[in-house]
Amino acid sequence: MSTEVNSQKTAVRNTGAETYYNYIGGEWVPSVTGETYPSLNPAHTDEVLGYFQKSNEIDVQKAIESAKRAFPEWKNTSPISRGDILFKLIFLIQQEKEELAEIITKEVGKTIEAARKEVDATVQALKHFSGEANRISGETVPAIDPKTFACTIQEPLGVVAVVTPFNFPLGIAIYKIAPSMLAGNTIIYKAASDTSLIAVKVVELFEKAGMPAGVLNMITGPGSVVGEELGTNPEIKAVSFTGSSDVGIHLGKLVTAHGGKMQAEMGGKNATVILEDANLEEAVQSVVISGFYNNGQSCTGTSRVIVPRSISRKVIELLVEKAKQVKVGNGVREGYDNGAVANKHQLNTYLHYVNSAIEEGAVLEYGGKQLTDGDLANGYFVAPTVFSKVTKDFTIAQEEIFGPVVAVMEVDSYEEAIELANDTDFGLSSAIFTNDLQKAFDFVRKIETGVTHVNIPSNHYENQLPFGGKKTSSIGPREQGSTALDFWLDTKTVYIKP
């Protein structure tokens, strides 16, 4: 990137790290505040990855005005032409896979292998979204008067906002931006501050793919300021958010108060039930994949393992054995299973819940500490953690940790396992491991989650299927799959009499 400062350049040099700007109306511009904040590498916290604009509500308003100006022309652009941008984006992302994976690893802390998988999943999602350009359609319905022609058409909403989290910064950004722009909306994009660099890269890729000026605008800065303006500004017709339930519910109240639409994918307290007839080796390995890998920083990851008392000790022993085998280190190097957690807040949250569990009487079977030996001393590294003797009243059985902490909970029957799995305010994902087909189907019917799995890890997903939860895990229509465009379109009913 150039070190020059002008509207066509992304960055300038600043004390060894580059300073990046907001993207408004097709130009890279500084915030009116004149303030910046650093993005740090969580695996090596003295490494500044870049400085980003600490924007305020005036910056957001400028972005909204840019999006408003671009909307009429974009609305009248053929969906097929909009889809062409996504086709081009697929090849650009494939070409820059390694660079994208490295940025994700350095900003989020996850391993380079996990980052590459995120890039691959993003490409897979784009293949699905790009095909949706041909499917924006209404319906024809017979009218009472046979001389009247009655139909519906689908129209874009206008200026919308997408607010994305740190854990899958490339994938979730694309999952929201792609269907939104395909539907004909113009967008304000706000990423988590920890992943501002990948947000800049996302915008650069859309720009290369031919996105017209003003259709996609990006603002960096504190959620308490930028997010509040996005939530309260009546020019924003819809907000799609992924993050914590507390923030999502608060933002939803702001958006709906002025008649806007809200879509939110939020927290989870996901249970995996393992029955006596299951293949315990496969079941426990699936818990490792969904609960420990990526440091448990997945909204669909397993955090509660519910097992009959008769096999609980065997399950615990297997979990501890596999937890000890998880290799933790700087994610930019090959061969590790886990890198650092995303930031200091995530580290402190992990330590808080570990201490809470111990104080409440849970048995720490393994882990429960920050890792600081050798190269780990300068980063936010933690040990995969297993607790036993956890009951439903424990804090770690009810609150989302978003860390590699698994609580083993014992039950006396399958019926009690279902009841316990549903005993939470969340309802995102779940899994059961059993060879009993009747119980598997019964679980699918009775579990109160938006996504469920049988003999598959709870964090498994595929882009061609809808994604979302129940209870406080989701607000609004599902993302992805056949429902991907639903949130971003408005239905107009038409009656025509020649």
Side-chain angles (χ1 to χ4, degrees):
M1 295 180 183
S2 172
T3 58
E4 250 181 278
V5 182
N6 65 52
S7 62
Q8 300 304 310
K9 304 299 179 181
T10 307
V12 295
R13 287 286 170 188
N14 185 343
T15 63
E18 295 187 59
T19 297
Y20 297 85
Y21 297 108
N22 293 329
Y23 187 73
I24 299 176
E27 298 184 343
W28 296 97
V29 296
S31 167
V32 297
T33 67
E35 299 180 56
T36 62
Y37 64 89
S39 176
L40 305 179
N41 182 345
H44 207 283
T45 57
D46 58 358
E47 181 184 356
V48 178
L49 302 173
Y51 293 91
F52 299 87
Q53 303 303 302
K54 191 176 182 180
S55 306
N56 66 12
E57 63 278 2
I58 297 174
D59 295 300
V60 179
Q61 291 161 11
K62 288 184 175 182
I64 291 172
E65 287 303 312
S66 169
K68 283 178 63 179
R69 289 192 297 270
F71 178 65
E73 183 174 353
W74 187 242
K75 174 185 178 181
N76 292 314
T77 299
S78 165
I80 307 302
S81 297
R82 298 178 204 145
D84 286 342
I85 293 174
L86 298 187
F87 276 114
K88 294 174 185 176
L89 192 62
I90 290 171
F91 295 106
L92 289 170
I93 290 176
Q94 288 174 326
Q95 289 171 2
E96 302 189 32
K97 176 179 176 177
E98 282 304 308
E99 180 184 353
L100 288 166
E102 184 177 340
I103 294 173
I104 293 169
T105 295
K106 286 188 174 182
E107 274 208 304
V108 181
K110 66 176 66 177
T111 66
I112 191 69
E113 181 182 359
R116 289 176 184 137
K117 288 180 179 179
E118 181 177 344
V119 178
D120 290 339
T122 304
V123 169
Q124 187 63 39
L126 279 169
K127 290 178 180 178
H128 169 73
F129 289 137
S130 59
E132 291 296 302
N134 300 321
R135 301 186 183 94
I136 299 178
S137 61
E139 58 180 344
T140 300
V141 181
I144 294 174
D145 181 354
K147 295 181 180 180
T148 298
F149 177 78
C151 67
T152 64
I153 57 177
Q154 299 292 314
E155 296 183 326
L157 304 173
V159 180
V160 300
V162 300
V163 182
T164 60
F166 66 78
N167 57 331
F168 294 97
L170 177 67
I172 295 177
I174 297 297
Y175 300 164
K176 295 180 184 294
I177 294 172
S180 175
M181 60 80 78
L182 194 61
N185 301 293
T186 53
I187 305 153
I188 315 298
Y189 168 35
K190 161 72 173 79
S193 295
D194 293 303
T195 54
S196 298
L197 185 55
I198 195 65
V200 168
K201 190 64 181 177
V202 166
V203 171
E204 289 179 340
L205 288 167
F206 269 105
E207 191 177 39
K208 289 179 183 178
M211 184 77 94
V215 174
L216 177 61
N217 305 272
M218 184 202 70
I219 300 292
T220 60
S224 58
V225 178
V226 175
E228 287 288 308
E229 181 64 24
L230 292 174
T232 57
N233 195 307
E235 299 290 351
I236 298 290
K237 304 306 179 186
V239 175
S240 180
F241 166 87
T242 296
S244 72
S245 292
D246 288 344
V247 175
I249 291 170
H250 171 70
L251 185 59
K253 291 177 180 178
L254 298 179
V255 173
T256 55
H258 61 74
K261 294 176 69 176
M262 184 69 188
Q263 178 187 64
E265 295 303 334
M266 302 179 287
K269 196 64 192 172
N270 312 301
T272 288
V273 175
I274 303 175
L275 300 184
E276 291 99 331
D277 66 337
N279 182 319
L280 295 188
E281 181 72 26
E282 290 183 4
V284 171
Q285 182 59 33
S286 292
V287 172
V288 171
I289 291 169
S290 61
F292 290 154
Y293 289 171
N294 199 35
N295 276 312
Q297 294 174 146
S298 172
C299 56
T300 53
T302 292
S303 60
R304 296 180 296 150
V305 176
I306 300 173
V307 296
R309 295 184 194 280
S310 60
I311 61 170
S312 62
R313 180 41 53 184
K314 178 62 175 176
V315 168
I316 292 167
E317 290 173 354
L318 278 171
L319 268 174
V320 170
E321 176 186 332
K322 291 183 180 296
K324 290 178 179 178
Q325 294 170 2
V326 174
K327 298 178 181 178
V328 180
N330 191 328
V332 296
R333 303 191 189 105
E334 303 281 355
Y336 290 113
D337 301 307
N338 271 354
V341 296
N343 51 50
K344 189 173 184 178
H345 174 73
Q346 290 302 116
L347 169 65
N348 289 337
T349 298
Y350 165 89
L351 294 173
H352 162 75
Y353 282 108
V354 166
N355 291 332
S356 169
I358 293 171
E359 290 173 1
E360 292 177 11
V363 175
L364 178 61
E365 299 281 352
Y366 182 76
K369 62 182 180 180
Q370 182 178 2
L371 303 177
T372 57
D373 291 341
D375 292 341
L376 307 185
N378 295 321
Y380 305 132
F381 298 93
V382 301
T385 299
V386 180
F387 278 106
S388 66
K389 302 298 182 182
V390 176
T391 66
K392 65 180 183 179
D393 299 323
F394 282 37
T395 304
I396 64 166
Q398 295 296 331
E399 296 183 11
E400 185 178 43
I401 301 172
F402 224 58
V405 180
V406 169
V408 179
M409 308 176 74
E410 299 177 337
V411 292
D412 293 315
S413 66
Y414 164 74
E415 290 74 20
E416 186 184 352
I418 290 282
E419 181 181 352
L420 186 58
N422 286 332
D423 188 9
T424 171
D425 292 335
F426 299 102
L428 184 52
S429 187
S430 58
I432 187 170
F433 285 82
T434 179
N435 287 314
D436 187 324
L437 190 60
Q438 183 174 346
K439 286 182 178 176
F441 274 97
D442 186 71
F443 181 84
V444 169
R445 286 191 297 267
K446 292 179 179 177
I447 194 68
E448 296 169 358
T449 60
V451 184
T452 194
H453 310 75
V454 177
N455 298 327
I456 295 172
S458 67
N459 64 338
H460 179 79
Y461 75 97
E462 297 182 18
N463 298 107
Q464 70 272 22
L465 282 84
F467 177 85
K470 299 178 183 291
K471 303 181 183 178
T472 59
S473 288
S474 289
I475 299 173
R478 297 287 191 255
E479 295 184 341
Q480 304 184 55
S482 59
T483 62
L485 291 171
D486 290 357
F487 176 71
W488 302 109
L489 290 165
D490 198 17
T491 299
K492 178 181 284 183
T493 300
V494 181
Y495 300 93
I496 301 174
K497 190 169 185 180

